[in-house]
Amino acid sequence: MNSIKDSALSVADRQDLAVIAGTMVPADATLGIPGADDPAILADMEKSIGRDLPLIREALAAIARKADGAFTGLDQDRREALVNDWYKSGGAAAVMLGRLVLGAYYRDDRVLVALGLEARPPFPKGYILEQGDWSLLDPVRGRAPLWRDDRAELSGER
């Protein structure tokens, strides 16, 4: 299935999302990191919208209103200022737009590699964690259970 059709964003909404995402996370050629407006990252965003579509549409519309419909015509600095200003009062729509853009961006293998991370899921290989002080859990282990033990009730103990 085509992710563009599935997302139910209009052509104009997809274009606005691309420009807004590219404003939020611009490309950096010196580091070899794509911007959030990269076609592969945008496709991931469109697949990820799901039930958050109304909030994403609300965010796109609010940014367009704040820019008087000319967001794409603004220079990078003015777009950044506008998005930052809107984000402060954008509520749930702002949070959802940020989550959508950043989630898709940091799932991209090229971004992970550029950040010095392996482009792989954490399992089955796993990651090595530094061992901590396990004795810190001793007070918790020594506490009485905070739950009912069904095993004791089944065996007739109380």
Side-chain angles (χ1 to χ4, degrees):
M1 296 188 92
N2 187 342
S3 64
I4 292 172
K5 276 186 181 175
D6 294 343
S7 75
L9 287 175
S10 69
V11 173
D13 285 343
R14 286 194 306 274
Q15 291 170 344
D16 290 345
L17 179 60
V19 174
I20 292 167
T23 300
M24 292 172 71
V25 186
D28 188 333
T30 59
L31 296 176
I33 300 176
D37 57 350
D38 181 84
I41 296 171
L42 284 169
D44 186 15
M45 280 184 227
E46 291 180 37
K47 286 191 301 188
S48 302
I49 290 176
R51 68 179 181 195
D52 301 319
L53 181 61
L55 285 172
I56 297 302
R57 281 187 178 145
E58 179 183 329
L60 297 175
I63 291 171
R65 274 193 310 276
K66 192 158 184 67
D68 292 326
F71 185 80
T72 57
L74 300 175
D75 63 49
Q76 178 72 16
D77 291 337
R78 289 178 61 199
R79 286 195 312 254
E80 281 180 22
L82 190 142
V83 169
N84 287 335
D85 185 51
W86 168 78
Y87 194 82
K88 295 173 192 170
S89 62
V95 171
M96 193 51 56
L97 180 63
R99 186 180 300 159
L100 176 73
V101 172
L102 294 176
Y105 183 74
Y106 286 107
R107 276 192 300 266
D108 189 85
D109 290 350
R110 296 165 296 165
V111 173
L112 294 174
V113 169
L115 293 173
L117 301 170
E118 285 184 71
R120 65 173 180 83
F123 297 102
K125 206 171 168 186
Y127 289 104
I128 303 215
L129 296 177
E130 183 180 319
Q131 291 297 314
D133 182 4
W134 288 94
S135 67
L136 294 172
L137 290 174
D138 289 342
V140 176
R141 290 183 187 121
R143 264 193 327 215
L146 301 174
W147 61 90
R148 181 182 72 213
D149 190 354
D150 291 337
R151 294 173 299 173
E153 289 181 14
L154 292 175
S155 66
E157 299 174 24
R158 292 218 177 205

